[in-house]
Amino acid sequence: MKYVRYQSVSNKVGLEETIDDYWELADDGYVLRSINVKSDSSILKYDKEHLADEFGQLPEGIITEENLKDRTYGKVIYISLSDFEKQWVSQAKNR
């Protein structure tokens, strides 16, 4: 497992600059759990029990090591399981 924080700040592809996500990545690159911190500090959470709703969805597809290194889309910080869990226990507006 890998745990990362993705932020779109300084991206070069025109993404909204306020994307702030935490991902739990399986060894095969699929996102198992996702936390999206909105610009108003509200939180959205997705996993296999809650794949999607009117606010968003669990990211689809494989996220490779090359994707994580590509700064075109912003920056990625590797975090610990503990840091991820601190965010995961936060109250979400979609759960």
Side-chain angles (χ1 to χ4, degrees):
M1 293 280 193
K2 292 180 189 159
Y3 299 89
V4 300
R5 181 178 184 183
Y6 163 69
Q7 296 174 303
S8 62
V9 64
S10 301
N11 77 83
K12 296 170 180 61
V13 293
L15 294 173
E16 186 179 314
E17 288 278 323
T18 58
I19 297 171
D20 190 7
D21 287 354
Y22 294 79
W23 297 328
E24 178 181 59
L25 299 172
D27 292 337
D28 61 5
Y30 285 98
V31 178
L32 299 176
R33 295 189 289 171
S34 174
I35 303 159
N36 176 240
V37 181
K38 306 304 278 179
S39 59
D40 66 0
S41 298
S42 62
I43 294 174
L44 304 173
K45 296 192 289 192
Y46 301 96
D47 59 15
K48 65 181 180 178
E49 282 82 37
H50 187 83
L51 294 173
D53 56 31
E54 66 270 22
F55 303 111
Q57 68 182 35
L58 186 69
E60 297 177 330
I62 296 173
I63 297 177
T64 66
E65 198 62 40
E66 291 77 29
N67 297 137
L68 296 173
K69 291 177 184 175
D70 185 353
R71 297 297 177 245
T72 305
Y73 294 95
K75 69 179 183 176
V76 172
I77 302 165
Y78 288 88
I79 62 173
S80 67
L81 169 59
S82 175
D83 289 339
F84 182 88
E85 291 296 343
K86 285 176 189 171
Q87 295 296 322
W88 188 256
V89 297
S90 299
Q91 181 65 41
K93 79 177 194 178
N94 66 332
R95 309 272 310 242

